[in-house]
Amino acid sequence: MYETLTLSALPLGESAYVARVSARPSMERRLTDLGLIPGTRVTCLARSPAGDPCAYLIRGALIALRRSDSDGILLKKTRSEAVAT
């Protein structure tokens, strides 16, 4: 029913929803302040040539995150979204 993946594994151009944010306390607070809370839709819009950092669309804002920070963000995607995108 749901596919789970980390934010860093979200393919370019695809979207998913935040299931859980797990990071060191100061980073978790920053991510929460940016709107990364359970249920928030996130879209991967761009990757740097080296693949790190990546740019994500979060609540209308374009946010760049390093892989070390995005590895702690668990996403869920419905199977129908996984097939459709």
Side-chain angles (χ1 to χ4, degrees):
M1 183 149 144
Y2 287 104
E3 174 185 355
T4 58
L5 65 158
T6 61
L7 182 58
S8 61
L10 185 65
L12 187 62
E14 293 194 17
S15 298
Y17 295 89
V18 175
R20 184 182 54 187
V21 176
S22 177
R24 61 185 193 279
S26 60
M27 180 52 73
E28 188 169 339
R29 172 64 192 253
R30 284 188 179 145
L31 294 171
T32 301
D33 288 346
L34 290 172
L36 276 167
I37 58 173
T40 299
R41 183 180 174 143
V42 179
T43 305
C44 181
L45 292 184
R47 292 191 188 283
S48 71
D52 190 27
C54 294
Y56 302 97
L57 183 63
I58 303 167
R59 297 184 178 259
L62 188 62
I63 307 294
L65 293 174
R66 290 176 288 215
R67 181 178 306 260
S68 60
D69 297 325
S70 59
D71 278 341
I73 302 168
L74 185 66
L75 304 176
K76 63 182 177 181
K77 181 190 287 193
T78 62
R79 295 287 179 181
S80 60
E81 286 178 326
V83 173
T85 56

